[in-house]
Amino acid sequence: VRFDTAEGGGVVRPVDAGGQREPHLPFGPLHVVTAIQPDPEPGSVSHARMLVLDRYLHTAGIRSIPAVGSSFTGDHSEDSRAVFGLTDHQARDLGTVFGQVAVFAWSGPAWSLLACVGERHSRRGWRWEPSRST
C-alpha cells in the first residue's frame, strides 16, 4: 500500500518473516479501506464510490489520508483511504458498509488482512520504504 501526503510518504510491504524489528509507524496505527469493488468498474463509477466514502468519513469525523493498494506484481491497484482511530471491529464494519470482503490493519509489528465478515485474518511482518525526496 502506497501513502502520499504533503509531509512525505512511502510504501508498506508485507513480508513473510522478520519485518521491522522496532516498529516505527510513520502515520501511527491505521486501517486501509476502499469503496471500489474487486471487479473492474468504469472509472467514473469508482470515482463516485470513493466520493461517497470520503463524504462518509468526513461526516463521521474519521481522519483519513489517501492510499493506493496494489497487487505484488503491480498489475492491479485500487484507490483507498488510510483511516485512523478505529478498532478492528469498526474497520471491518466500515468495509462491510462499502461492500468489501476485507480491510488491512497496520499496527505495531503486524500488517494484517481482516475479513469483513467473521473473524478470519492473516498477520505478517512488514517493511516500510519511504519515498525519495526530490
Side-chain angles (χ1 to χ4, degrees):
V1 175
R2 185 179 73 238
F3 304 90
D4 291 307
T5 68
E7 296 79 30
V11 176
V12 62
R13 297 187 193 282
V15 296
D16 287 327
Q20 301 295 118
R21 296 215 188 279
E22 294 182 29
H24 168 69
L25 305 177
F27 306 108
L30 58 83
H31 292 86
V32 178
V33 299
T34 188
I36 296 174
Q37 297 305 306
D39 294 326
E41 300 177 307
S44 61
V45 173
S46 294
H47 180 73
R49 293 176 70 81
M50 290 305 293
L51 289 175
V52 172
L53 174 59
D54 287 338
R55 186 174 304 125
Y56 180 96
L57 295 171
H58 177 76
T59 301
I62 299 170
R63 187 170 73 90
S64 67
I65 61 172
V68 176
S70 67
S71 62
F72 284 116
T73 61
D75 59 347
H76 175 77
S77 65
E78 293 177 347
D79 285 336
S80 303
R81 297 297 178 260
V83 296
F84 302 90
L86 301 182
T87 65
D88 287 348
H89 180 76
Q90 291 168 321
R92 284 173 156 149
D93 285 348
L94 180 60
T96 300
V97 166
F98 285 91
Q100 299 304 299
V101 172
V103 297
F104 290 112
W106 190 16
S107 180
W111 177 258
S112 302
L113 181 63
L114 310 173
C116 289
V117 177
E119 295 297 317
R120 288 182 308 135
H121 68 279
S122 66
R123 294 175 66 108
R124 297 174 101 173
W126 54 269
R127 179 178 75 239
W128 174 250
E129 299 172 1
S131 298
R132 293 195 170 109
S133 301
T134 55

